[in-house]
Amino acid sequence: MIVDDAKELRKGEFGRKCKEAFCYLKGTEPYSPWQNAAERENKELKKGAGRKMTASGAPLKVWDWALEMESYIRSHTAHNIYKLDGRVPESIISGQTADISPYCEFGFWQWVMFREPGDSKYGSFPEDTRQLGKYLGPALDTGGEMCAKIMKGNLQVVERTTLRGLTPEETVCPEHTKRREAFLKRAHQKLGPKTTEEHLGPDGLDFVDKDEVHELWEDEDGPSFPELDDELPDAKVTEDYLVNAEVLLPHGAVEEKAKVVSRKRDRDGNPVGVANKNPLLDTRVYEVEFPDGSTRELAANAIAQALWAQCDPDGNRYVTLSAIVDFRVDRTVAIKKNKQVRTVHGKKVVSRSTKGWELLCEWQDGSTSWQKLKDLKESHPLQVAEFAFAANIADEPAFNWWAGWVLKKRDRIISLVKKRRAARYLQRDYKFGVELPKSTPLRKR
């Protein structure tokens, strides 16, 4: 078992139990998370919990409940892992078919109404025993399968099965609005302010750094992609353009993104192999490093073949989309609903733009990243349209002028997408496996 260098894992009760079970403990170096393959899942777990907290406006001190709910969701989600054989991790561990019902009814930190007869001043009848609360996730160790953890108005957490979301009438009711405002005021006073992007930082939510912000994408009066600089860092110094290239290679039971770090050298420090314009005569050997820190020696032909398989003729890298899991929008840039229709020379014109919208994509290798709606609308129109209706955002100005039409013309669009070979998304920030710099500090580095 691979663990970090924590004393409670190596020398405490946990370490003693492992010795009794003849389980060998192998530790990782400090500040080296790449040496443990499980750390990548921890990264995705933190990113998912952070997205839930920022989207719902939950206080900072409820991060543990957000992590717990995100871990439940990931354990009930299918992943591109060969050993799972198409099943979810929960089914592998328990041996039973996983039930996703407790995780589909409510969202984290969602307003709910639940029954609490004991808090009624005059008993349960005829007084109204419904109370306002916040949903924190399923309570799997209490009650039935649908029992949930709810934060009450006094900020205590209880487990209840009888609950529901707010009705449209309660959402707009002035008295109900005052109750929700008073609830949030008490919560923020005791549990801290609501979680924002500044609290988690760019690494917590996979945001783009401020000095690397891309130009806004246009739909009507601009190119699909900004011009990219073809400068390749470090490769010009060595005159070897395979160095620093990133390529998908088999590693164990799955494919992982590896990086070509250097040429292999013999005991005298001389590079192994000789370059040749004829690929059959190219004998160069390179060292390739995987995310877990392990290295492998590969011939130049093998690396070139893998790069060619994942790039189009222009050098843009193919990535296969697994699912769309979330969205975010910059309201200062996106078109507002009341301003979508404008009058030009006496005629009504509908603005068609996706400015300010980004979708969170999960790729086949298990990683996630934010991509522009403009790009995904062209490469995966059906998946984006289905996600828009599932997330109840199809009426937004960025979707209402095309998403419904796409679903109606589903069969025809599938045939057209197959003809133009757009079933895979092109990552334009890579050229022949090498990441392109987007800011002056990256170019200098």
Side-chain angles (χ1 to χ4, degrees):
M1 182 179 297
I2 300 177
V3 298
D4 57 24
D5 201 33
K7 293 182 179 179
E8 56 270 17
L9 296 178
R10 302 294 297 274
K11 301 180 180 179
E13 183 69 16
F14 183 80
R16 186 180 65 82
K17 290 289 185 182
C18 289
K19 289 182 179 179
E20 293 178 356
F22 300 100
C23 178
Y24 175 68
L25 290 179
K26 182 178 181 180
T28 60
E29 298 178 18
Y31 315 109
S32 304
W34 56 86
Q35 296 181 357
N36 192 343
E39 291 294 342
R40 186 178 69 174
E41 293 302 321
N42 292 339
K43 176 183 177 181
E44 296 297 332
L45 178 63
K46 293 178 182 178
K47 287 164 58 177
R51 290 192 295 267
K52 283 180 170 54
M53 295 178 65
T54 53
S56 61
L60 289 170
K61 291 186 178 180
V62 300
W63 60 268
D64 50 345
W65 283 298
L67 278 175
E68 184 182 42
M69 185 172 182
E70 180 67 17
S71 63
Y72 284 145
I73 293 176
R74 290 190 64 83
S75 65
H76 287 72
T77 304
H79 302 281
N80 187 31
I81 301 176
Y82 177 78
K83 292 183 179 180
L84 291 180
D85 194 23
R87 294 182 292 175
V88 299
E90 180 67 22
S91 298
I92 299 294
I93 297 299
S94 64
Q96 301 177 356
T97 302
D99 184 9
I100 64 173
S101 302
Y103 316 102
C104 300
E105 194 71 18
F106 303 99
F108 182 75
W109 199 247
Q110 177 182 339
W111 290 111
V112 294
M113 298 294 294
F114 68 100
R115 292 197 177 276
E116 190 72 0
D119 284 0
S120 179
K121 183 177 180 181
Y122 302 103
S124 60
F125 180 83
E127 295 293 323
D128 187 3
T129 59
R130 292 175 297 181
Q131 289 194 17
L132 183 67
K134 282 285 192 178
Y135 181 80
L136 297 177
L140 302 183
D141 298 330
T142 305
E145 293 294 331
M146 301 302 292
C147 188
K149 297 178 183 178
I150 305 172
M151 181 173 288
K152 300 170 54 176
N154 58 2
L155 306 185
Q156 292 182 353
V157 179
V158 296
E159 292 83 13
R160 297 291 182 270
T161 302
T162 306
L163 71 156
R164 61 166 176 81
L166 300 185
T167 63
E169 293 77 11
E170 291 172 340
T171 304
V172 298
C173 176
E175 182 180 352
H176 214 279
T177 302
K178 292 181 180 179
R179 292 174 58 186
R180 295 198 299 269
E181 292 176 352
F183 186 105
L184 292 178
K185 184 177 180 181
R186 291 192 298 270
H188 292 322
Q189 287 177 350
K190 186 174 181 179
L191 303 177
K194 67 178 183 179
T195 306
T196 60
E197 302 172 5
E198 289 74 15
H199 290 124
L200 300 177
D203 294 335
L205 293 178
D206 194 24
F207 289 149
V208 179
D209 294 336
K210 292 184 178 180
D211 59 346
E212 298 183 24
V213 175
H214 304 279
E215 297 179 2
L216 296 176
W217 2 268
E218 305 287 344
D219 269 32
E220 298 175 337
D221 55 354
S224 298
F225 299 93
E227 292 296 325
L228 296 176
D229 191 351
D230 289 335
E231 178 184 356
L232 302 179
D234 298 336
K236 288 185 177 180
V237 179
T238 61
E239 295 296 337
D240 194 335
Y241 288 97
L242 286 181
V243 177
N244 295 320
E246 295 181 357
V247 58
L248 286 176
L249 296 172
H251 188 56
V254 297
E255 286 191 345
E256 292 190 359
K257 184 170 65 175
K259 184 176 182 180
V260 182
V261 292
S262 64
R263 286 277 300 274
K264 177 176 174 53
R265 298 181 179 273
D266 57 18
R267 63 178 64 184
D268 297 327
N270 300 319
V272 176
V274 179
N276 195 295
K277 293 182 178 181
N278 186 349
L280 298 177
L281 302 178
D282 194 336
T283 59
R284 290 175 296 174
V285 180
Y286 293 85
E287 291 187 356
V288 180
E289 183 178 9
F290 289 90
D292 59 358
S294 61
T295 59
R296 186 189 303 176
E297 299 176 3
L298 286 179
N301 290 338
I303 299 174
Q305 184 178 3
L307 282 174
W308 183 258
Q310 69 182 42
C311 295
D312 69 347
D314 297 327
N316 300 311
R317 187 170 68 176
Y318 284 126
V319 285
T320 307
L321 179 67
S322 176
I324 302 175
V325 297
D326 202 355
F327 70 92
R328 69 183 181 189
V329 56
D330 186 355
R331 295 295 180 183
T332 61
V333 179
I335 296 179
K336 298 179 175 59
K337 290 184 179 181
N338 56 357
K339 294 184 179 180
Q340 186 178 12
V341 180
R342 63 184 189 275
T343 303
V344 179
H345 302 300
K347 296 182 179 181
K348 291 185 177 180
V349 179
V350 179
S351 299
R352 299 180 177 182
S353 174
T354 58
K355 290 181 179 180
W357 283 83
E358 290 184 342
L359 301 179
L360 181 64
C361 299
E362 181 177 350
W363 308 107
Q364 287 291 350
D365 60 358
S367 62
T368 57
S369 63
W370 291 98
Q371 302 296 334
K372 306 169 185 178
L373 174 59
K374 166 64 180 177
D375 303 339
L376 290 173
K377 181 173 70 68
E378 299 297 330
S379 61
H380 298 79
L382 288 175
Q383 291 91 327
V384 175
E386 291 174 349
F387 173 78
F389 280 94
N392 296 323
I393 56 175
D395 59 340
E396 292 285 346
F399 299 91
N400 58 12
W401 50 275
W402 66 273
W405 178 87
V406 163
L407 294 182
K408 290 181 181 179
K409 304 292 183 180
R410 184 191 304 263
D411 297 336
R412 185 178 178 184
I413 290 176
I414 290 176
S415 62
L416 292 175
V417 167
K418 289 182 178 178
K419 287 182 181 179
R420 69 182 184 183
R421 300 181 64 187
R424 294 180 289 181
Y425 180 75
L426 293 178
Q427 278 193 331
R428 306 294 178 118
D429 52 353
Y430 278 78
K431 281 290 186 180
F432 297 103
V434 180
E435 185 177 7
L436 299 177
K438 307 177 186 66
S439 62
T440 301
L442 287 179
R443 294 190 183 98
K444 292 181 178 179
R445 189 172 63 185

mmCIF file of all heavy atoms in Angstrom, residues 149-171:
data_model
loop_
_atom_site.group_PDB
_atom_site.id
_atom_site.type_symbol
_atom_site.label_atom_id
_atom_site.label_comp_id
_atom_site.label_asym_id
_atom_site.label_seq_id
_atom_site.Cartn_x
_atom_site.Cartn_y
_atom_site.Cartn_z
ATOM 1 N N LYS A 149 -28.827 14.622 5.219
ATOM 2 C CA LYS A 149 -28.302 15.541 6.228
ATOM 3 C C LYS A 149 -28.764 16.947 5.898
ATOM 4 O O LYS A 149 -28.571 17.415 4.775
ATOM 5 C CB LYS A 149 -26.776 15.488 6.259
ATOM 6 C CG LYS A 149 -26.207 14.141 6.666
ATOM 7 C CD LYS A 149 -24.698 14.170 6.630
ATOM 8 C CE LYS A 149 -24.111 12.806 6.970
ATOM 9 N NZ LYS A 149 -22.629 12.813 6.896
ATOM 10 N N ILE A 150 -29.368 17.612 6.881
ATOM 11 C CA ILE A 150 -29.945 18.939 6.671
ATOM 12 C C ILE A 150 -29.456 19.866 7.769
ATOM 13 O O ILE A 150 -29.439 19.489 8.949
ATOM 14 C CB ILE A 150 -31.482 18.881 6.671
ATOM 15 C CG1 ILE A 150 -31.985 17.876 5.631
ATOM 16 C CG2 ILE A 150 -32.074 20.261 6.399
ATOM 17 C CD1 ILE A 150 -33.467 17.625 5.696
ATOM 18 N N MET A 151 -29.059 21.078 7.396
ATOM 19 C CA MET A 151 -28.674 22.098 8.372
ATOM 20 C C MET A 151 -29.903 22.936 8.710
ATOM 21 O O MET A 151 -30.527 23.532 7.834
ATOM 22 C CB MET A 151 -27.551 22.982 7.830
ATOM 23 C CG MET A 151 -27.099 24.048 8.811
ATOM 24 S SD MET A 151 -25.654 24.967 8.254
ATOM 25 C CE MET A 151 -24.381 23.718 8.453
ATOM 26 N N LYS A 152 -30.253 22.969 9.993
ATOM 27 C CA LYS A 152 -31.433 23.708 10.445
ATOM 28 C C LYS A 152 -31.123 25.201 10.574
ATOM 29 O O LYS A 152 -29.999 25.647 10.361
ATOM 30 C CB LYS A 152 -31.890 23.157 11.794
ATOM 31 C CG LYS A 152 -32.264 21.680 11.762
ATOM 32 C CD LYS A 152 -32.466 21.115 13.160
ATOM 33 C CE LYS A 152 -33.476 21.908 13.974
ATOM 34 N NZ LYS A 152 -33.722 21.297 15.295
ATOM 35 N N GLY A 153 -32.140 25.943 10.942
ATOM 36 C CA GLY A 153 -31.983 27.383 11.121
ATOM 37 C C GLY A 153 -31.029 27.745 12.232
ATOM 38 O O GLY A 153 -30.398 28.814 12.205
ATOM 39 N N ASN A 154 -30.895 26.895 13.274
ATOM 40 C CA ASN A 154 -29.938 27.148 14.352
ATOM 41 C C ASN A 154 -28.558 26.584 14.033
ATOM 42 O O ASN A 154 -27.706 26.468 14.912
ATOM 43 C CB ASN A 154 -30.455 26.552 15.657
ATOM 44 C CG ASN A 154 -30.723 25.061 15.557
ATOM 45 O OD1 ASN A 154 -30.481 24.441 14.514
ATOM 46 N ND2 ASN A 154 -31.226 24.479 16.639
ATOM 47 N N LEU A 155 -28.339 26.159 12.746
ATOM 48 C CA LEU A 155 -27.080 25.655 12.220
ATOM 49 C C LEU A 155 -26.702 24.284 12.761
ATOM 50 O O LEU A 155 -25.557 23.854 12.610
ATOM 51 C CB LEU A 155 -25.934 26.645 12.478
ATOM 52 C CG LEU A 155 -26.164 28.066 11.976
ATOM 53 C CD1 LEU A 155 -24.914 28.910 12.180
ATOM 54 C CD2 LEU A 155 -26.584 28.079 10.528
ATOM 55 N N GLN A 156 -27.652 23.575 13.395
ATOM 56 C CA GLN A 156 -27.424 22.193 13.776
ATOM 57 C C GLN A 156 -27.747 21.285 12.591
ATOM 58 O O GLN A 156 -28.610 21.592 11.783
ATOM 59 C CB GLN A 156 -28.288 21.819 14.978
ATOM 60 C CG GLN A 156 -27.900 22.518 16.265
ATOM 61 C CD GLN A 156 -28.751 22.072 17.440
ATOM 62 O OE1 GLN A 156 -29.719 21.327 17.258
ATOM 63 N NE2 GLN A 156 -28.405 22.515 18.631
ATOM 64 N N VAL A 157 -27.063 20.149 12.503
ATOM 65 C CA VAL A 157 -27.257 19.208 11.403
ATOM 66 C C VAL A 157 -28.081 18.034 11.904
ATOM 67 O O VAL A 157 -27.738 17.412 12.921
ATOM 68 C CB VAL A 157 -25.909 18.716 10.844
ATOM 69 C CG1 VAL A 157 -26.124 17.714 9.720
ATOM 70 C CG2 VAL A 157 -25.102 19.904 10.332
ATOM 71 N N VAL A 158 -29.167 17.736 11.202
ATOM 72 C CA VAL A 158 -30.054 16.630 11.555
ATOM 73 C C VAL A 158 -30.206 15.717 10.337
ATOM 74 O O VAL A 158 -29.897 16.106 9.208
ATOM 75 C CB VAL A 158 -31.429 17.144 12.016
ATOM 76 C CG1 VAL A 158 -31.304 17.955 13.291
ATOM 77 C CG2 VAL A 158 -32.091 17.971 10.926
ATOM 78 N N GLU A 159 -30.691 14.489 10.592
ATOM 79 C CA GLU A 159 -30.946 13.522 9.519
ATOM 80 C C GLU A 159 -32.447 13.322 9.396
ATOM 81 O O GLU A 159 -33.101 12.918 10.364
ATOM 82 C CB GLU A 159 -30.254 12.184 9.813
ATOM 83 C CG GLU A 159 -28.743 12.229 9.757
ATOM 84 C CD GLU A 159 -28.100 12.729 11.030
ATOM 85 O OE1 GLU A 159 -28.820 12.813 12.048
ATOM 86 O OE2 GLU A 159 -26.900 13.057 11.019
ATOM 87 N N ARG A 160 -32.977 13.598 8.227
ATOM 88 C CA ARG A 160 -34.411 13.477 7.993
ATOM 89 C C ARG A 160 -34.664 12.874 6.617
ATOM 90 O O ARG A 160 -33.884 13.061 5.680
ATOM 91 C CB ARG A 160 -35.099 14.841 8.086
ATOM 92 C CG ARG A 160 -35.007 15.514 9.449
ATOM 93 C CD ARG A 160 -35.832 14.768 10.488
ATOM 94 N NE ARG A 160 -35.779 15.432 11.784
ATOM 95 C CZ ARG A 160 -34.884 15.187 12.738
ATOM 96 N NH1 ARG A 160 -33.939 14.271 12.513
ATOM 97 N NH2 ARG A 160 -34.916 15.828 13.889
ATOM 98 N N THR A 161 -35.787 12.147 6.514
ATOM 99 C CA THR A 161 -36.192 11.551 5.250
ATOM 100 C C THR A 161 -37.279 12.349 4.556
ATOM 101 O O THR A 161 -37.330 12.394 3.326
ATOM 102 C CB THR A 161 -36.683 10.104 5.480
ATOM 103 O OG1 THR A 161 -35.638 9.350 6.094
ATOM 104 C CG2 THR A 161 -37.073 9.437 4.168
ATOM 105 N N THR A 162 -38.161 13.003 5.322
ATOM 106 C CA THR A 162 -39.266 13.766 4.754
ATOM 107 C C THR A 162 -38.783 15.177 4.446
ATOM 108 O O THR A 162 -38.688 16.023 5.341
ATOM 109 C CB THR A 162 -40.458 13.807 5.727
ATOM 110 O OG1 THR A 162 -40.814 12.477 6.089
ATOM 111 C CG2 THR A 162 -41.641 14.497 5.079
ATOM 112 N N LEU A 163 -38.481 15.432 3.187
ATOM 113 C CA LEU A 163 -38.024 16.750 2.757
ATOM 114 C C LEU A 163 -38.372 16.940 1.289
ATOM 115 O O LEU A 163 -38.645 15.982 0.563
ATOM 116 C CB LEU A 163 -36.523 16.916 2.971
ATOM 117 C CG LEU A 163 -35.578 16.112 2.060
ATOM 118 C CD1 LEU A 163 -34.228 16.800 1.997
ATOM 119 C CD2 LEU A 163 -35.408 14.683 2.538
ATOM 120 N N ARG A 164 -38.345 18.168 0.863
ATOM 121 C CA ARG A 164 -38.628 18.525 -0.526
ATOM 122 C C ARG A 164 -37.945 19.848 -0.843
ATOM 123 O O ARG A 164 -37.518 20.588 0.055
ATOM 124 C CB ARG A 164 -40.135 18.651 -0.770
ATOM 125 C CG ARG A 164 -40.821 19.738 0.064
ATOM 126 C CD ARG A 164 -42.204 20.048 -0.437
ATOM 127 N NE ARG A 164 -42.885 21.008 0.408
ATOM 128 C CZ ARG A 164 -42.723 22.335 0.361
ATOM 129 N NH1 ARG A 164 -41.841 22.848 -0.506
ATOM 130 N NH2 ARG A 164 -43.393 23.148 1.157
ATOM 131 N N GLY A 165 -37.843 20.150 -2.131
ATOM 132 C CA GLY A 165 -37.313 21.437 -2.541
ATOM 133 C C GLY A 165 -38.361 22.533 -2.441
ATOM 134 O O GLY A 165 -39.540 22.282 -2.182
ATOM 135 N N LEU A 166 -37.930 23.780 -2.630
ATOM 136 C CA LEU A 166 -38.862 24.907 -2.559
ATOM 137 C C LEU A 166 -39.762 24.925 -3.784
ATOM 138 O O LEU A 166 -39.339 24.610 -4.903
ATOM 139 C CB LEU A 166 -38.096 26.230 -2.463
ATOM 140 C CG LEU A 166 -37.154 26.408 -1.262
ATOM 141 C CD1 LEU A 166 -36.581 27.822 -1.257
ATOM 142 C CD2 LEU A 166 -37.857 26.104 0.041
ATOM 143 N N THR A 167 -41.005 25.298 -3.567
ATOM 144 C CA THR A 167 -41.948 25.461 -4.670
ATOM 145 C C THR A 167 -41.733 26.823 -5.326
ATOM 146 O O THR A 167 -41.134 27.732 -4.721
ATOM 147 C CB THR A 167 -43.385 25.347 -4.167
ATOM 148 O OG1 THR A 167 -43.646 26.415 -3.233
ATOM 149 C CG2 THR A 167 -43.607 24.007 -3.468
ATOM 150 N N PRO A 168 -42.195 27.022 -6.565
ATOM 151 C CA PRO A 168 -42.071 28.352 -7.200
ATOM 152 C C PRO A 168 -42.731 29.458 -6.385
ATOM 153 O O PRO A 168 -42.242 30.595 -6.377
ATOM 154 C CB PRO A 168 -42.767 28.147 -8.554
ATOM 155 C CG PRO A 168 -42.647 26.674 -8.827
ATOM 156 C CD PRO A 168 -42.737 26.008 -7.499
ATOM 157 N N GLU A 169 -43.841 29.141 -5.709
ATOM 158 C CA GLU A 169 -44.496 30.162 -4.887
ATOM 159 C C GLU A 169 -43.634 30.558 -3.706
ATOM 160 O O GLU A 169 -43.548 31.739 -3.341
ATOM 161 C CB GLU A 169 -45.865 29.642 -4.398
ATOM 162 C CG GLU A 169 -46.898 29.450 -5.498
ATOM 163 C CD GLU A 169 -46.659 28.190 -6.301
ATOM 164 O OE1 GLU A 169 -45.813 27.340 -5.866
ATOM 165 O OE2 GLU A 169 -47.269 28.045 -7.369
ATOM 166 N N GLU A 170 -42.972 29.581 -3.067
ATOM 167 C CA GLU A 170 -42.103 29.891 -1.934
ATOM 168 C C GLU A 170 -40.865 30.662 -2.372
ATOM 169 O O GLU A 170 -40.333 31.478 -1.601
ATOM 170 C CB GLU A 170 -41.687 28.593 -1.240
ATOM 171 C CG GLU A 170 -42.822 27.886 -0.517
ATOM 172 C CD GLU A 170 -42.411 26.520 -0.009
ATOM 173 O OE1 GLU A 170 -41.417 25.970 -0.524
ATOM 174 O OE2 GLU A 170 -43.085 25.987 0.899
ATOM 175 N N THR A 171 -40.403 30.440 -3.596
ATOM 176 C CA THR A 171 -39.207 31.130 -4.077
ATOM 177 C C THR A 171 -39.425 32.626 -4.187
ATOM 178 O O THR A 171 -38.514 33.415 -3.901
ATOM 179 C CB THR A 171 -38.788 30.554 -5.441
ATOM 180 O OG1 THR A 171 -38.602 29.133 -5.315
ATOM 181 C CG2 THR A 171 -37.492 31.186 -5.923
#
